[in-house]
Amino acid sequence: MRSNTLPSHRTAALGALLMLAASLVFAGGNMLQSILPQHYGMSSTGMAFWQYLIASVLMLPIVLRIGIGKFRTRRPLAHQARALASALGVHVFVYGFASGVPIWHTGPLFVVIGSTLFLGERVSSARIGAALVGFVGAVIVSGVGAERLDWPALTPILAAALWATTDVLTRWLARDETAETLTVSLLVLITPNHLAILLAANALAFVLPAGVAAGLPFALPSGAGLVLLLILGGLTAAAQYLLASAYRSADAAYLQPFADLKVPLAGLLGWIFLGQTPSIWFWPGAALIVGASIFIFWAENRLPQGGQASSQVAG
């Protein structure tokens, strides 16, 4: 592990900027994940499988440029656990989305808890407050609980817990491994994990809730749909790389309010490009998320250098 050559305030600012960029790219991917099933008849589970396979292929030039030997890891089981948690989160989320559940997440709260308990990150009142305010804003934007409260409505909580596990493992691995290794390992491992989950869900269809076993929907769209799927794969690769880079720069607990920004960003992109008019609750919810991000950035940069969000990254 090497000391970061940048002042810690600058690395924290870089981490926030990278997470903001990742949130924007994730929001763009969410928009395409809505378009492909609705307008091109693509299965949501099949889409999840193909987008990560395409993302893996798109990362091949980076692997060849850096050299396969540079991607060796001392923690293969941790990488596999991270990929499995991410893939499970995708499938749980897709099931909830297909059941009509609104897009929302409590991931930041799980990440703050996980990063505190398992990573030993500092938890200040500012971090806890910003995470709570961002969470409330995400719930308001998404309108969770306004129409239903049943098993599918609870799936976003499980998906968020799984993705938070992925984020905490990413931050832990980022202390010793490069963003390229973190990105490539996730994308390469997540595809066979997706396939294994699909096979297991169909084998256990008799004990799972209706709609969980979706068969093996691997049909590809044609024409514009295929182009959009390729773009989705590219956005997936870019988002994962930005996310891994952000976690190499700053603490997971500090970055979570910036991760919350993907919720209002997805709403804005849907409004601009798809004509999906936001509800009246969108604006106060978005204001809370943006306010939480601004507050934590201001609060952390007021600290002395030694108390900043991050003073080391791995090398």
Side-chain angles (χ1 to χ4, degrees):
M1 182 177 292
R2 62 176 171 79
S3 297
N4 193 352
T5 57
L6 295 174
S8 57
H9 284 175
R10 290 182 61 189
T11 57
L14 176 61
L17 181 62
L18 289 167
M19 184 60 81
L20 176 60
S23 296
L24 180 59
V25 177
F26 273 123
N30 287 343
M31 183 178 66
L32 292 180
Q33 286 171 334
S34 175
I35 292 174
L36 284 166
Q38 291 180 12
H39 298 283
Y40 294 94
M42 192 172 192
S43 163
S44 296
T45 51
M47 177 182 64
F49 174 83
W50 284 112
Q51 78 179 81
Y52 281 96
L53 181 59
I54 291 169
S56 301
V57 173
L58 292 177
M59 288 297 293
L60 281 177
I62 292 179
V63 174
L64 296 175
R65 179 174 60 84
I66 295 176
I68 296 177
K70 296 290 183 65
F71 291 92
R72 292 194 182 98
T73 176
R74 293 177 297 170
R75 300 186 177 92
L77 292 180
H79 281 286
Q80 164 56 22
R82 173 171 165 256
L84 177 60
S86 181
L88 280 171
V90 170
H91 283 274
V92 171
F93 178 81
V94 164
Y95 167 69
F97 185 76
S99 302
V101 176
I103 300 175
W104 66 286
H105 67 120
T106 55
L109 289 182
F110 288 118
V111 171
V112 170
I113 294 170
S115 62
T116 303
L117 294 178
F118 300 108
L119 302 181
E121 292 184 358
R122 177 177 59 84
V123 178
S124 64
S125 57
R127 290 185 176 187
I128 294 174
L132 286 172
V133 171
F135 162 65
V136 171
V139 171
I140 291 174
V141 167
S142 304
V144 62
E147 299 179 359
R148 59 189 295 184
L149 187 59
D150 53 13
W151 160 243
L154 299 178
T155 54
I157 298 177
L158 178 56
L162 289 165
W163 283 333
T165 301
T166 304
D167 285 349
V168 171
L169 284 170
T170 299
R171 172 58 181 163
W172 180 64
L173 289 166
R175 293 174 173 178
D176 295 307
E177 301 190 356
T178 66
E180 289 82 4
T181 298
L182 291 167
T183 305
V184 171
S185 64
L186 178 66
L187 296 178
V188 169
L189 289 173
I190 205 170
T191 300
N193 276 281
H194 274 305
L195 180 58
I197 292 168
L198 283 171
L199 293 172
N202 284 279
L204 300 174
F206 60 95
V207 297
L208 295 174
V212 172
L216 300 176
F218 295 135
L220 285 167
S222 59
L226 182 58
V227 173
L228 291 178
L229 182 61
L230 292 172
I231 294 173
L232 176 59
L235 291 177
T236 300
Q240 292 297 337
Y241 183 79
L242 289 167
L243 187 68
S245 299
Y247 281 131
R248 278 181 53 82
S249 300
D251 286 351
Y254 161 72
L255 290 172
Q256 291 322 294
F258 303 99
D260 263 332
L261 287 168
K262 71 168 77 66
V263 180
L265 285 172
L268 284 174
L269 290 178
W271 184 25
I272 294 170
F273 294 104
L274 303 179
Q276 299 173 345
T277 305
S279 71
I280 191 173
W281 295 107
F282 174 86
W283 304 108
L288 286 175
I289 296 173
V290 173
S293 301
I294 294 173
F295 168 75
I296 192 63
F297 186 81
W298 171 79
E300 295 276 334
N301 278 277
R302 289 179 66 246
L303 295 173
Q305 293 283 351
Q308 183 55 35
S310 176
S311 59
Q312 284 188 325
V313 294

